Amino acid sequence: MKSDSSIQVPDELDLNAIPAHVAFIMDGNGRWAKKRLMNRAKGHEQGVQTVEEVVSACRDLGIGVLTLYAFSTENWARPKVEVKALMHLLKRFLRTKTEEIRKKDIRLNIMGQIERLPDDVRKEAEQAMAVTQKNSAMILNLALSYGAREEITRAVQQIAAKIKSGILEPKEITDKTVSDHLYTAGMPDPDLIIRTSAEFRLSNFLMWQAAYSELAFTPTLWPDFTRQEFYQILIDYQQRDRRFGKV
Ligand code: FPP
């Protein structure tokens, strides 16, 4: 996995105050390609390089959970050829990077409608999850066919089924019950959500978990996003006063 270890961690970054969970909305691949008169798939291909760099950076910094929004429930409506290109890149990433992920003690977790993925991609994903399931240094969540509304709806269905079968009383439902039925069950909520490419919205990403997340937006297109910029965003994050609704 690409790791530019020649880049020094800046002194201003407090390694004792690293967020537990960082999530990325990786946006701008299409515009990156368009600027270069290339097809959109080239932008996604270049975006995989940034994925590798960000995974390495998070692992190096000791971030416990990294979540990457790789394919949304809405992305199925993109032109067939683009969906196919993205699925191909995902499959290749899983096939060629799982061993390195395993060696780095990273647990790969797919969050989303895994059953909707093409058979070959789903098999690679299941294999990668199985091979890395005992790893504990970092969780890498790949959000695939993921949408927060689908995630919450699914949680409601599961909770309703438990009530129907008598193992849960409606008055026993708490925030934690809902959290425990999301794809991120057992994981901390994201401390920081970063979106690239100058778009300022959540786009159906982690809507329950983002209740108290800090948000960071950058105009940089995802394929141009670097480790240095990530460090700078983390430094800015560490200056913020997180009050969680208190004074
Ligand atoms: C958004 O850019 C990006 C996506 C929909 C896909 C993200 C996928 C990757 C970075 C590559 C595959 C990922 C892994 C984990 C191997 P956009 O296409 O919406 O860009 P635009 O807004 O400029 O058109």
Side-chain angles (χ1 to χ4, degrees), residues 129-149:
M129 282 195 286
V131 166
T132 62
Q133 66 174 341
K134 296 224 163 67
N135 290 355
S136 58
M138 182 172 103
I139 297 173
L140 170 57
N141 284 321
L142 280 190
L144 287 184
S145 191
Y146 171 87
R149 288 183 173 176

Side-chain angles (χ1 to χ4, degrees), residues 51 55 64-68 93 101 106-110 138-142:
V51 167
V55 172
V65 185
L66 166 64
T67 301
L68 299 176
F93 176 82
I101 288 172
I106 299 171
R107 171 152 76 90
L108 188 107
N109 180 49
I110 305 294
M138 182 172 103
I139 297 173
L140 170 57
N141 284 321
L142 280 190

